[in-house]
Structures are given as structure tokens and as C-alpha cells.
Amino acid sequence: MSNIAVVATSSVTPADVSRYQFGSRFGRMDPVCQLGLTAVEALGVKFGSRADIGVIVATNAGSLTTDVQYWRTRNEPGGVSPSLFIYTLPSSVTGEIAIRHGLTGPNLCLLGGCDQVLGEAAEWLRHGEATGCVCVECDVVATDAGELAGVPVVARAWAAFLQRGGGGIPLTENDRDLRSLCARVRA
Amino acid sequence: MDQLVTDLKSRIIETLKLQDITPGQIDENAPLFGSGLGLDSIDALELVVMLEKHYGIVIKDIEEGRPAFASVHALAEFIRAKQPTK
Amino acid sequence: MGGALEIAIAGCGAVSAVGADVAGLREAIRNNTSGLRPVPRFTGAAFQSNIVGATTVEGEDPIYELADRALREARHEAAGRLENIPPARIGLVLATTKANIEALERLTEDRPCAVSARRHWQAQWLAEDLAAAHGAAGPVQCVSVACISGMLAISQGAKLLQRDLADAVLVVGADCLSRFIVAGFSSLKALDPLGCRPFDRDRAGLSAGEAGAAVVLVRGEGATTIAGWGGSNDANHLTGPSRDGSGLALAIQRALDAARLKPRDIGYVNAHGTGTPYNDAMESLALRTIFGNACPPVSASKGMFGHTLGAAGVLETIVCVVAATERCLPGTPRLTTPVMAEVLHVPQTGARVRHSLKLGTGFGGVNAALVVRHE
């Protein structure tokens, strides 16, 4: 894997969201998309208009919190919220990242696959499915949704930008999840 | 200014969770979609829900609502036409 | 883009609105029948249409039932290829968009919801339990990329084999009908009140469906092999397909390149064909971009069993397998006036197809193309 470079990494919490400008439509997004986009923004990478950059997102809880929030709107006059429904797709964060940065490469969203993200990205890069890959691990679980589903409350995201060749820290066989990779890069 | 127009501006901001925009910054004669506020088809659907929730107006077909979403002013006129007693 | 090493489909399983197995699907293809029916629980102001592609499966954990039955059937057909593979070398890839969302409805309405049903609201736990029940102790992945999830699960499964992380991969796509989903599509005004009519001039939306669909992938030769795949993102809008079809065309080109094929090598296209005005128009444009005026026969299968979401990519790939095996290119049930001359109204028998192209697109701007080779 020596030819795959870690160009940048980031680690964010909801406190970091307000540090960036995302435009007037950011408020519509669900917390997973907001935090995922923040993690990518925190990479500080200018992707340019490169068609062959892919996006891989891993998430344990996916859209759980938004599922609960959306389903609550069914009792309101006018019925369920169409925009919340769209964000009940766990992969909406993948789409929002691709749209914001103009990335037309392949997409993948893995549920629970946090230790598979870097391996999948490395495969894309090695086999030429993409020349760069934005990798994100993102989870936001609110208290009510967590209690209902029996999963822990959390709000964290990590991101990395990997590229074939070029400058950066080499990715190794031992790098599996973004959390550890970010810690290694910082150390 | 027309109270309904003022109310609508606040409701649009609240419903669509528009950030960094105040009611005063919305021109009631400017197009709601495309340029201007940068609203899209998802926002239009969310406004359909808002019309039912707050004004009791049911829009079955999004095409029916299209002229109403031309501007805040057009939306106010649409609501008045549907609610002649108010 | 992927391809190179031969990956074969050794077995198929399918539970859908047209039957509890692949035999039911085969009959529906031969007779061009539709399984879409009005279902009472989707009647009311919250729903734009009660015409859906329902199976007979119900209960607290319908998605597990759907996936489990499909896996059983696929493993049964592939038994000969699976018998000498140790469990640790069998992987599983699950594709789903909402897993057991039935649990959320039950938990918020004080209706019974077993521990396992609640657990399967989380897709990766559903994947783990399916893997355990079906003897897959190798790598487990859970893919959720909107309506291309099933297609991606097949390419992810193929990659696990190419990377030598497994000797067989059970790929299963599943989603169940729920008020959650049908109310959501209704709020998007995306359902056709008369039931979906893909590629019809008067099409007015999709019909929701449910299914469990499974394929067993193994390395080596077979009657059906995965020749290549490609993906892309429109990077344009979360729900609106690109108006020019360029994103889907890019995915098709990537899949053809990976399979080292030219457009003229494709003998049949199974379109995404949801029946929404924008999707089908965009898809027609993408097909014109790639094939020009030499587009092979096209059909859309969602008039048969509805939009089965996470299962769609797997189920409709099985349609391609059945079509080639039976030498019967499927028609497009519920179609009256096609928007493209190449769209098949009724089944076309006798045609031998060497390569099928399966297409998919989804919310988030995603596109996928899969080339299947038939011996």
C-alpha cells in the first residue's frame, strides 16, 4: 500500500460545525450530513473539478436520529416532512459531500463498516476506480433515538483524503479505521 | 406592509431552516426558486406541507402549486384565493 | 470500474410481489404479469397511492424473513459450489436502505416488537444475524447507497472474491414495505396513483415494493459471470436526476471499459425505470449517449414488482439472469405508449444475449451500471 498517500485527516464534533460557511441550505440537512460535511471541510483540501474522486462513508447508526424525527412528523397536519424523509437515507451524507465538492467518482456507504473504509478506499485507488478518495466516518445519535433503538448517544466524525501517489503520509496495511488513522497522523 | 406577506416570510425561513436570512432580506416580488433564495424542488414540497399545516390548503399535485411558488407575493395571493373568508 | 478475474453467479433466490421464489419470477417474466395490487394499509390521506408490490410476508421482522428466504433459495441452487468451502471463507454482503424500519413504527405505537426485530432496525446487525444463520463466518458488509444498494452489493461481493478475502459471497438485498416509506414517497409526490408505468408517455411516478433477493458469488467459470461494473455521482442535486443523463452515461462507460466491451456488445438493457417523469427521461438520454441509434432492447421491471429499493439491484440482476437462461427478454408490464422505440412492451423470445447491462440510479445523485456475461 506504499503508493497510497494520506493527504489530510480531520476529527470533528458538533462544536466545529459553526467554524465553516456552508450557505443557506445547510440548515435543511440532518445532523449526520452537517457533521460529515464539516469533517470534509476540516480537511482543508481543494479538490478542484476532478471527476475521478470517490466518496466512502461508514456509519454505525446511519440515519437513526433522522428516522425518529421524520416519523414524528406523521402526526402533524400536512403529514410527514419530505426533506426529512430524504435524509432518512443513510447515504444522503455521501451525496451531500459529492455535491458540495463536485466529486463525480463512485460512492459507497457502509453501515457498521468503520474498519473497512480504508481497505475499500485503497482498493478503489489501486484498481483505478478512483484516483482520490474522500473517506468519512460519521455518527450522530440523539438521546431519544438512542433509547428507542438501544444504541449509545454519540456525535463525532472523522475524515481523510487518500490519493494514489503524490505527497502525504503513506497508508499502511495496519490502517483500517479513520479514528486510528487520524490519531496516528496527529502523533 | 401586508401582514400575510410578513407572516409568510417568517414561515418560509422557519419551515425551510434558511440560515443567515432575515424576513427583511426576502423580496416578496423576487422568484423563490432557482436564483434568489436558491430554493429547490425539495423546498417546494416542504412548502406544500407548510401550506396545509398553517393555512389548511391541500395541494395534491405539485404542478398545481407551481404558479403559487413564483414569489412570496404570488403565494399570498394564492392563499387569499383559496381562503376567501379570511 | 471492476472486472478481470471471473466471478460467477452460482445461485439465485427471489421473494417478490410476483412470487415466493425465482420460479414465480420466471413465470411473471414469461407472461409479462404485474404483481402490483391495492393494499388496504396504505389507504388514506397520508398516502398518494395504495398500489404497491407486496409479498405475503408480514409480522414484526419482515425484512429478515424476506432476506432469509431469498438466501435459502440461492444457497440451495449453489449447494454444489458451496459444499467444500469452509464457513470462514464465506462472506455476506447485505444491501438495504431502511433495514427493519417496521421496528420504529411498532416501538412508537406501543405494538409488540421482539428484541431481534428491534435489533434489525440497525442494518449491520441484520447483516450479522443473516450471516450467522447462513453459515457465513467470513467478511460481512452492509451497503446502503439508496436505490443502487443492491447493485453495489454485487460489486462489493465480487471485490471480496477478487481480493481473496473469501471463496464465496452471499449477496442479499432486502427492503420491506412500510408506512414510513410509502408516506415518505407520497410527501415527495413521487407515487403514481394508478401504479407505476415505467417508460410510458403518461408515467406519473413509482410504486413502492418489497423483496428479498439473493445471489451466491463464487470465483471461476459459470453460466453467468460478472463482467464489469462502474459507478458515478452526478454531483448535482440530492433528489433530482441530472437532466442530461451524463452521470449515468459515465457509469455505463466505466462499466463497459472495465468489462473491455463496446456498446455494440450489449444485447439487453434492464433499466432502472422507476416510472418517475425525470428518472426515465434522464435514463433515455443516457442510453442515447452511449448507444446512439443502435440501442439494444430495453425493459424496466418495476411494473412487475414495484420499486424494491435496496433489493432492486439484486432482484433485477436476477431478471437479467432469467432472461438469458430462458432466452426470453422481459417486457415492460403496465406500459402503454413507450417513450423509446427500443423499450419492449411484451417479452421477446428466442433471442440469445451474450451481455446484459443492468442500470441503477438513486437519491444522492448516485449511478451504477453492471455488465453480466451469459455463456
Side-chain angles (χ1 to χ4, degrees), chain A residues 21-29 34 69 76-84 86-87, chain B residues 15-21 37-43 45-49 52-54:
Chain A
Q21 289 294 316
F22 293 97
S24 70
R25 308 314 298 112
F26 188 67
R28 178 174 78 182
M29 293 178 201
Q34 292 187 342
Q69 204 191 343
E76 291 177 13
V80 296
S81 158
S83 56
L84 280 176
I86 289 160
Y87 290 106
Chain B
T15 303
L16 305 181
K17 301 175 186 126
L18 295 175
Q19 291 187 331
D20 309 320
I21 290 176
L37 292 177
L39 306 187
D40 64 10
S41 55
I42 306 170
D43 297 312
L45 293 161
E46 205 63 55
L47 290 180
V48 168
V49 174
E52 186 168 347
K53 196 193 282 188
H54 293 289

Coordinates of all heavy atoms in Angstrom, one line a residue, chain A residues 21-29 34 69 76-84 86-87, chain B residues 15-21 37-43 45-49 52-54:
Chain A
Q21 N -18.5 28.0 6.6 CA -19.6 28.6 5.9 C -20.1 27.6 4.8 O -19.4 27.2 4.0 CB -19.2 29.9 5.2 CG -19.0 31.1 6.1 CD -20.2 31.5 6.9 OE1 -21.3 31.6 6.3 NE2 -20.1 31.8 8.2
F22 N -21.4 27.2 5.0 CA -21.9 26.2 4.0 C -23.1 26.7 3.2 O -23.7 26.0 2.4 CB -22.4 25.0 4.8 CG -21.3 24.2 5.4 CD1 -21.0 24.4 6.8 CD2 -20.5 23.3 4.7 CE1 -20.0 23.7 7.4 CE2 -19.5 22.6 5.3 CZ -19.2 22.7 6.6
G23 N -23.5 28.0 3.4 CA -24.6 28.5 2.6 C -25.9 28.3 3.3 O -26.0 27.6 4.3
S24 N -27.0 28.9 2.7 CA -28.3 29.0 3.3 C -29.0 27.6 3.4 O -29.9 27.5 4.2 CB -29.2 30.0 2.6 OG -29.5 29.5 1.3
R25 N -28.6 26.7 2.6 CA -29.4 25.4 2.6 C -28.8 24.4 3.6 O -29.3 23.2 3.6 CB -29.4 24.8 1.1 CG -29.9 25.7 0.1 CD -31.2 26.5 0.4 NE -32.3 25.6 0.7 CZ -32.9 25.5 1.9 NH1 -32.4 26.2 2.9 NH2 -33.9 24.7 2.1
F26 N -27.8 24.8 4.3 CA -27.1 23.8 5.2 C -28.1 23.5 6.4 O -28.1 22.4 6.9 CB -25.9 24.5 5.8 CG -25.0 23.6 6.7 CD1 -24.3 22.5 6.1 CD2 -24.9 23.9 8.0 CE1 -23.5 21.7 6.9 CE2 -24.1 23.1 8.8 CZ -23.4 22.0 8.2
G27 N -28.9 24.4 6.8 CA -29.9 24.2 7.9 C -30.9 23.1 7.6 O -31.4 22.5 8.5
R28 N -31.1 22.9 6.3 CA -32.1 21.8 6.0 C -31.5 20.4 6.2 O -32.3 19.5 6.5 CB -32.4 22.0 4.5 CG -33.4 21.0 3.9 CD -33.8 21.3 2.5 NE -32.7 20.9 1.6 CZ -32.8 21.2 0.2 NH1 -33.9 21.8 -0.2 NH2 -31.8 20.8 -0.6
M29 N -30.2 20.3 6.2 CA -29.6 19.0 6.3 C -29.8 18.4 7.7 O -29.9 19.1 8.7 CB -28.1 19.1 6.0 CG -27.8 19.4 4.5 SD -26.0 19.6 4.3 CE -26.0 20.6 2.8
Q34 N -24.6 17.4 8.3 CA -23.9 18.6 8.7 C -22.5 18.2 9.3 O -21.5 18.9 9.0 CB -24.8 19.3 9.8 CG -26.0 19.9 9.2 CD -26.8 20.8 10.1 OE1 -26.6 20.7 11.3 NE2 -27.7 21.6 9.6
Q69 N -37.0 11.4 14.0 CA -37.5 12.8 13.9 C -38.5 12.9 12.7 O -39.6 13.5 12.9 CB -36.3 13.7 13.6 CG -36.6 15.2 13.9 CD -35.5 16.1 13.4 OE1 -34.4 15.6 13.0 NE2 -35.8 17.3 13.3
E76 N -48.5 15.4 12.4 CA -48.7 16.8 12.2 C -49.7 17.0 11.0 O -49.7 16.3 10.1 CB -47.4 17.6 11.9 CG -46.5 17.6 13.2 CD -45.2 18.3 12.9 OE1 -45.0 18.9 11.9 OE2 -44.3 18.1 13.8
P77 N -50.5 18.1 11.1 CA -51.3 18.4 9.9 C -50.4 18.7 8.7 O -49.4 19.3 8.8 CB -52.1 19.6 10.3 CG -51.5 20.2 11.5 CD -50.7 19.1 12.1
G78 N -50.8 18.1 7.6 CA -49.9 18.3 6.4 C -49.0 17.0 6.2 O -48.5 16.8 5.1
G79 N -48.9 16.2 7.3 CA -48.2 15.0 7.2 C -46.7 15.0 7.3 O -46.1 16.1 7.7
V80 N -46.0 14.0 6.9 CA -44.6 13.8 7.1 C -43.8 14.9 6.3 O -44.2 15.3 5.3 CB -44.1 12.4 6.7 CG1 -44.7 11.3 7.6 CG2 -44.4 12.1 5.2
S81 N -42.6 15.1 6.8 CA -41.7 16.1 6.1 C -41.0 15.5 5.0 O -40.2 14.6 5.2 CB -40.8 16.7 7.1 OG -39.6 17.3 6.5
P82 N -41.2 16.0 3.7 CA -40.4 15.4 2.6 C -38.9 15.6 2.7 O -38.2 14.7 2.3 CB -41.0 16.2 1.4 CG -41.7 17.4 1.9 CD -42.1 17.1 3.3
S83 N -38.4 16.7 3.2 CA -37.0 16.9 3.3 C -36.4 15.9 4.4 O -35.3 15.3 4.2 CB -36.6 18.3 3.6 OG -37.2 18.8 4.7
L84 N -37.1 15.8 5.5 CA -36.6 14.8 6.5 C -36.6 13.4 5.9 O -35.7 12.6 6.2 CB -37.5 14.8 7.8 CG -37.2 16.0 8.7 CD1 -38.2 16.0 9.9 CD2 -35.7 15.9 9.3
I86 N -36.0 12.4 2.9 CA -34.8 12.2 2.1 C -33.5 12.0 3.0 O -32.7 11.1 2.6 CB -34.5 13.5 1.2 CG1 -35.6 13.5 0.2 CG2 -33.2 13.5 0.6 CD1 -35.8 14.9 -0.4
Y87 N -33.5 12.6 4.1 CA -32.3 12.4 5.0 C -32.5 11.1 5.8 O -31.6 10.9 6.6 CB -32.1 13.7 5.9 CG -31.6 14.8 5.0 CD1 -32.4 15.9 4.7 CD2 -30.3 14.8 4.5 CE1 -31.9 16.9 3.9 CE2 -29.8 15.8 3.7 CZ -30.7 16.9 3.4 OH -30.2 17.9 2.6
Chain B
T15 N -39.7 27.1 8.1 CA -40.0 25.8 7.5 C -38.8 25.2 6.8 O -38.5 24.0 6.9 CB -41.2 25.9 6.5 OG1 -42.3 26.5 7.2 CG2 -41.5 24.6 5.9
L16 N -38.1 26.1 6.1 CA -37.0 25.6 5.2 C -35.7 25.7 5.9 O -34.6 25.4 5.4 CB -37.0 26.4 3.9 CG -38.3 26.4 3.1 CD1 -38.1 27.1 1.8 CD2 -38.7 24.9 2.8
K17 N -35.7 26.1 7.2 CA -34.5 26.3 8.0 C -33.4 27.1 7.3 O -32.3 26.6 7.2 CB -34.0 24.9 8.4 CG -35.0 24.1 9.3 CD -34.5 22.7 9.6 CE -35.6 21.9 10.3 NZ -35.9 20.6 9.6
L18 N -33.8 28.2 6.7 CA -32.9 29.0 6.0 C -32.0 29.7 7.0 O -32.4 30.3 8.0 CB -33.6 30.1 5.2 CG -34.5 29.6 4.0 CD1 -35.3 30.7 3.4 CD2 -33.7 28.9 3.0
Q19 N -30.7 29.6 6.7 CA -29.7 30.2 7.7 C -29.2 31.6 7.2 O -29.1 31.8 6.0 CB -28.5 29.3 7.9 CG -28.9 28.0 8.6 CD -27.7 27.1 9.0 OE1 -26.7 27.1 8.3 NE2 -27.9 26.4 10.0
D20 N -28.9 32.4 8.2 CA -28.4 33.7 7.9 C -29.3 34.6 6.9 O -28.8 35.4 6.1 CB -27.0 33.6 7.3 CG -26.1 32.7 8.1 OD1 -26.2 32.8 9.3 OD2 -25.3 31.9 7.5
I21 N -30.6 34.4 7.0 CA -31.5 35.2 6.2 C -32.6 35.7 7.1 O -33.2 34.9 7.9 CB -32.1 34.4 5.0 CG1 -31.0 34.1 4.0 CG2 -33.3 35.1 4.4 CD1 -31.5 33.2 2.9
L37 N -33.4 33.0 -3.4 CA -33.1 32.2 -2.2 C -32.4 30.9 -2.4 O -32.0 30.2 -1.5 CB -34.4 32.0 -1.4 CG -35.1 33.2 -0.8 CD1 -36.4 32.8 -0.2 CD2 -34.2 33.9 0.2
G38 N -32.4 30.5 -3.7 CA -31.7 29.2 -4.0 C -32.5 28.0 -3.6 O -32.0 27.0 -3.3
L39 N -33.8 28.1 -3.6 CA -34.7 27.0 -3.2 C -34.8 26.0 -4.3 O -34.6 26.3 -5.5 CB -36.1 27.5 -2.8 CG -36.1 28.6 -1.7 CD1 -37.6 28.8 -1.3 CD2 -35.3 28.2 -0.5
D40 N -35.1 24.8 -4.0 CA -35.2 23.7 -5.0 C -36.5 22.9 -4.8 O -37.4 23.3 -4.0 CB -34.0 22.8 -5.0 CG -33.9 22.0 -3.6 OD1 -34.8 22.1 -2.8 OD2 -32.8 21.4 -3.4
S41 N -36.6 21.8 -5.5 CA -37.8 21.0 -5.6 C -38.2 20.4 -4.2 O -39.4 20.3 -3.9 CB -37.7 19.9 -6.6 OG -36.6 19.1 -6.3
I42 N -37.2 20.1 -3.4 CA -37.5 19.6 -2.1 C -38.1 20.7 -1.2 O -39.0 20.4 -0.5 CB -36.2 19.1 -1.4 CG1 -35.4 18.1 -2.3 CG2 -36.5 18.5 0.0 CD1 -34.0 17.7 -1.8
D43 N -37.6 21.9 -1.4 CA -38.2 23.0 -0.6 C -39.6 23.2 -1.0 O -40.5 23.5 -0.2 CB -37.4 24.3 -0.8 CG -35.9 24.1 -0.3 OD1 -35.8 23.7 0.8 OD2 -35.0 24.4 -1.0
L45 N -41.8 21.1 -2.0 CA -42.6 20.0 -1.3 C -42.8 20.3 0.1 O -43.8 20.1 0.7 CB -41.9 18.7 -1.5 CG -41.9 18.1 -3.0 CD1 -40.9 17.1 -3.1 CD2 -43.3 17.7 -3.4
E46 N -41.7 20.9 0.7 CA -41.8 21.2 2.2 C -42.8 22.4 2.3 O -43.5 22.5 3.3 CB -40.4 21.6 2.7 CG -40.2 21.5 4.1 CD -40.3 20.0 4.6 OE1 -39.6 19.2 4.1 OE2 -41.1 19.8 5.6
L47 N -42.8 23.3 1.4 CA -43.8 24.4 1.4 C -45.2 23.9 1.2 O -46.2 24.5 1.8 CB -43.4 25.5 0.4 CG -42.2 26.3 0.6 CD1 -41.9 27.3 -0.5 CD2 -42.2 27.0 2.0
V48 N -45.4 22.9 0.5 CA -46.7 22.3 0.3 C -47.2 21.8 1.7 O -48.4 22.0 2.0 CB -46.7 21.1 -0.7 CG1 -48.0 20.3 -0.7 CG2 -46.4 21.6 -2.1
V49 N -46.4 21.2 2.4 CA -46.7 20.7 3.8 C -47.0 21.9 4.7 O -48.0 21.9 5.4 CB -45.6 19.8 4.4 CG1 -45.9 19.5 5.8 CG2 -45.3 18.6 3.5
E52 N -50.5 23.3 4.1 CA -51.6 22.5 4.7 C -51.6 22.7 6.2 O -52.6 22.8 6.8 CB -51.4 21.0 4.3 CG -52.6 20.2 4.8 CD -52.6 18.8 4.3 OE1 -51.9 18.5 3.3 OE2 -53.4 18.0 4.8
K53 N -50.4 22.7 6.8 CA -50.3 22.8 8.3 C -50.8 24.1 8.8 O -51.5 24.2 9.7 CB -48.8 22.6 8.6 CG -48.6 22.3 10.1 CD -47.2 22.4 10.6 CE -46.3 21.2 10.2 NZ -45.0 21.3 10.8
H54 N -50.4 25.2 8.2 CA -50.7 26.5 8.7 C -51.9 27.2 8.1 O -52.5 28.1 8.7 CB -49.5 27.4 8.6 CG -48.4 27.0 9.5 ND1 -48.4 27.1 10.9 CD2 -47.2 26.4 9.2 CE1 -47.3 26.6 11.4 NE2 -46.5 26.2 10.4

